[in-house]
Amino acid sequence: MDGKLYKVVVGKKIINDFSYVLHVFSPINHQIIGSIPRVRTKEQIEIIFKNAKLAFHEYRNVDFHIRKKWLLNFCDLLKQKWDELSNIIVWEIAKTKVEAIKEIDRSIEYIKLTIEEYEKIMKSPLIIDESVHNVKGKTGIFTYEPLGVVLAISPFNYPLNLLVSKIAPALISGNTVVYKPATQGSCVGSFISLLLYEAGFKNGEVSCIIGKGSEIGDFIIDNPNISMISFTGSSDVGKKIAMKNSLIPVILELGGKDAAIVLKDANLKLSAKKIVKGAFSFNGQRCTGIKRVLVDVSVEQKLIKYIDEEIEKLTIGSAIKGNFDITEMIDIKTLKNNLYLLLDAYKNGARTNQKIKRKGNILFPVALHNVTTKCKIAWDEQFGPVLPIISFNEIEQAIDICNKSQYGLQTSIFTSNIKLAKKIASTLDVVTININESSSRGPDIFPFGGIKDSGKGMQGIKEAIISMNKIKGVIENE
Ligand code: G3H
């Protein structure tokens, strides 16, 4: 794919001035795949938010059916443009074509479910009167209203889906949106800004800011016209956003160190299959990836054997060449960090049955055994295709290792004793526990979130809508 010039929508305008651009390089061949008009100054950003606030005063009064129609038009456009869009995803983040298409389908489904849920929420306001509570002479009617300007900041790993899951609930509720895609994801971000415009959002409801976070990030997250922030990305940036915005709602989806706890009575073959899928899909570059295995020492060797067999089955190759399980990682920095963690684990006695091998941005998948809590990889988020395996004698040790993590996203428990799994679940400092399955954000209708360094607030279709609205109460008094 040749470098392409991408226009971008900022408020009412389609920007096509290419005198100052962000170049996006592909992790596949390191060539420029897109150049996009870039925002550079604080003043430009201030104007964008000011205009988004002005547009909000109009848009909040646009009838729900029109908002719905525009979002459905957007779905149709995503469907029509699936081939072009999925190619952009492949080149921009090295996700395979099959996975890119899945992401598009999931996003369309997400928007439709968001519309349905919003309708349900709006149809049933909370009414509190004497018939339900001791509120003599009063009838309180509580409804939802949009907040204003929602700032959405999305990561590289789901450049479409994790944008849509912020933009759709904001727009259906009557908020306007300013969004900033990750640098690796900016081609997708600008491409969909034009689709949103074509779908009907051409009156300033949507603005896409393109630029380097390191250059303009501070100006974006610190603006008085922002009413709510939804961010997915690193824990460090998330904390900064939370500190600068203590008086507005902030939803953060950050890092994770999800463990798979394997008990001695688990179906080990099936557990290994699910763990390998959970750990290595999209090269381990998912917040919900399985990032460590905690296994009962009595079944450790058997589990390692099954995990090795599953790793052996993984196909490896460039994302543009086929539907491979392991493709190019997003950047050399992350790849090198994985090698550094591997080396540190080796120095601390860990071993692997796989060859440690790298080809360009592709890091071959590795399971590390003999890992102890002395190894950095027992704690640090690798965000890559390296899976540490730690054994335990008593379940309390595994629980302790889970809970000592700085992260608190999800945990998986593999066992045939569901009662015990539920008991363990009650002791874990995470938001979601998956019994006999790897961690994941979906199904998207489920509430999803993290605690500690994994996040703040809840997402999921219904929760995202609620987080982008405020409650308005009208109290009638007799
Ligand atoms: O990377 C973070 C995503 O929210 C993970 O989503 O579990 O659907 O892959 P997923």
Side-chain angles (χ1 to χ4, degrees), residues 29-307:
N29 60 5
H30 311 289
Q31 302 292 310
I32 295 177
I33 47 157
S35 302
I36 319 163
R38 171 176 184 172
V39 169
R40 98 177 86 178
T41 66
K42 189 176 181 202
E43 289 67 37
Q44 282 176 299
I45 290 166
E46 277 169 358
I47 292 169
I48 291 171
F49 280 112
K50 220 168 135 195
N51 287 337
K53 192 63 182 268
L54 286 174
F56 167 66
H57 296 305
E58 301 285 321
Y59 183 59
R60 65 179 306 172
N61 297 316
V62 168
D63 188 73
F64 160 73
H65 292 98
I66 295 177
R67 304 201 295 255
K68 174 177 171 177
K69 187 167 164 271
W70 291 349
L71 278 172
L72 291 175
N73 290 346
F74 176 56
C75 289
D76 289 343
L77 288 166
L78 287 174
K79 228 184 269 168
Q80 279 169 34
K81 304 275 179 180
W82 70 271
D83 194 33
E84 193 178 351
L85 182 53
S86 56
N87 283 342
I88 300 172
I89 297 176
V90 171
W91 279 101
E92 191 163 32
I93 63 160
K95 194 172 262 191
T96 62
K97 179 101 175 162
V98 170
E99 290 301 316
I101 293 168
K102 273 193 207 160
E103 183 172 340
I104 297 172
D105 290 343
R106 180 178 179 181
S107 303
I108 293 170
E109 179 69 12
Y110 197 103
I111 296 167
K112 292 186 174 166
L113 283 171
T114 297
I115 297 170
E116 269 175 36
E117 275 307 307
Y118 179 78
E119 277 187 286
K120 276 190 218 158
I121 291 170
M122 296 317 276
K123 268 188 196 145
S124 38
L126 176 64
I127 301 176
I128 305 177
D129 60 15
E130 274 181 48
S131 68
V132 291
H133 232 290
N134 184 19
V135 288
K136 202 166 175 3
K138 289 181 186 290
T139 302
I141 304 170
F142 298 89
T143 51
Y144 287 105
E145 283 192 354
L147 291 170
V149 179
V150 168
L151 168 63
I153 306 178
S154 55
F156 79 84
N157 59 354
Y158 284 95
L160 176 68
N161 185 262
L162 280 171
L163 251 190
V164 156
S165 61
K166 301 174 193 323
I167 291 176
L171 289 176
I172 195 66
S173 303
N175 298 289
T176 53
V177 179
V178 174
Y179 68 92
K180 157 81 178 78
T183 297
Q184 227 59 46
S186 293
C187 295
V188 172
S190 51
F191 184 82
I192 72 153
S193 74
L194 289 160
L195 299 189
L196 284 159
Y197 189 90
E198 200 184 328
F201 299 101
K202 37 176 75 113
N203 314 299
E205 298 89 353
V206 174
S207 287
C208 173
I209 296 182
I210 297 296
K212 288 261 177 206
S214 53
E215 219 174 80
I216 54 170
D218 282 350
F219 308 142
I220 294 176
I221 61 171
D222 198 4
N223 187 286
N225 282 312
I226 303 172
S227 306
M228 188 275 171
I229 302 180
S230 178
F231 169 81
T232 304
S234 75
S235 298
D236 287 348
V237 176
K239 283 181 196 169
K240 205 165 156 187
I241 291 174
M243 275 185 326
K244 283 194 183 240
N245 293 280
S246 52
L247 289 181
I248 58 167
V250 171
I251 303 290
L252 304 172
E253 181 193 346
L254 310 174
K257 190 72 188 173
D258 293 3
I261 301 177
V262 183
L263 303 185
K264 57 181 167 214
D265 63 355
N267 177 337
L268 296 176
K269 214 170 167 149
L270 193 59
S271 306
K273 202 178 167 73
K274 291 187 172 185
I275 287 169
V276 167
K277 189 161 190 296
F280 296 99
S281 57
F282 195 38
N283 312 310
Q285 300 172 124
R286 294 163 56 238
C287 61
T288 48
I290 292 292
K291 303 210 173 95
R292 47 191 184 163
V293 174
L294 306 172
V295 57
D296 188 298
V297 71
S298 63
V299 291
E300 182 188 10
Q301 292 312 317
K302 258 194 188 164
L303 185 76
I304 291 169
K305 178 178 160 282
Y306 289 138
I307 285 181

